Amino acid sequence: MTLRPCIAALTLSAVAFMTGPAHAAAEAPSIEVWKSATCDCCIKWVEHLEANGFAVKVNAADTAMLQHLKRQAGIGKDLASCHTAKIDGYVVEGHVPAADVKRLVAERPDAIGLTVPGMPIGSPGMEKGDEVEPYDVILIKKDGSTEIFAKR
């Protein structure tokens, strides 16, 4: 009896283990962002995501393209902010903290995504020293209704 069949089986098992779901979970979550090429707060938000383990692809977009993306995603003017992102089938609008993006993807609610309308001071990318303006992270449901996802 030779050990070759056993070694081959062990090798295949190791490859399957390393490429399976457990290995994929160790990879950085990937998020794609559309923003104005000149917006500093958007750059800071992208840096916040990267510092929290996200792999970020950034796309420069003019105002018309951003408005089109928001409309297409179901983000009304009252829920809009300065940049729009997509991750795992969800839309993330504005200065949503990375922890809330991770929670969204982990919990997988039946929703369009999350938004932080406007540009509240103290939200990721909008830091101004110690100044913090309380704000809500809002879940946008598929029927257009909203609910508070997190209070910050």
Side-chain angles (χ1 to χ4, degrees):
M1 180 170 151
T2 69
L3 292 177
R4 281 201 175 145
C6 291
I7 292 172
L10 285 173
T11 302
L12 287 173
S13 294
V15 169
F17 176 76
M18 292 303 291
T19 59
H23 181 69
E27 295 177 13
S30 181
I31 188 167
E32 190 165 8
V33 179
W34 287 264
K35 64 173 212 57
S36 163
T38 59
C39 184
D40 286 338
C41 69
C42 296
I43 292 167
K44 291 177 183 175
W45 185 70
V46 166
E47 291 169 352
H48 164 76
L49 292 176
E50 291 170 336
N52 282 277
F54 286 88
V56 185
K57 178 182 178 189
V58 178
N59 302 289
D62 63 19
T63 303
M65 182 177 190
L66 283 170
Q67 290 174 351
H68 174 74
L69 284 168
K70 293 172 196 313
R71 277 193 313 271
Q72 189 177 44
I75 308 294
K77 289 181 182 182
D78 57 328
L79 298 175
S81 186
C82 55
H83 54 264
T84 303
K86 292 185 179 181
I87 182 169
D88 207 17
Y90 291 105
V91 174
V92 178
E93 177 71 12
H95 295 268
V96 176
D100 293 323
V101 176
K102 288 179 180 179
R103 181 178 150 212
L104 172 74
V105 173
E107 292 181 3
R108 307 234 22 100
D110 188 26
I112 292 171
L114 297 176
T115 184
V116 171
M119 300 168 72
I121 304 227
S123 61
M126 290 297 299
E127 295 88 355
K128 305 271 189 217
D130 293 335
E131 190 177 347
V132 177
E133 181 179 282
Y135 64 94
D136 294 329
V137 178
I138 299 170
L139 179 72
I140 307 166
K141 297 180 181 182
K142 289 186 177 178
D143 67 2
S145 64
T146 61
E147 67 182 49
I148 294 174
F149 189 78
K151 287 190 160 293
R152 302 286 177 186

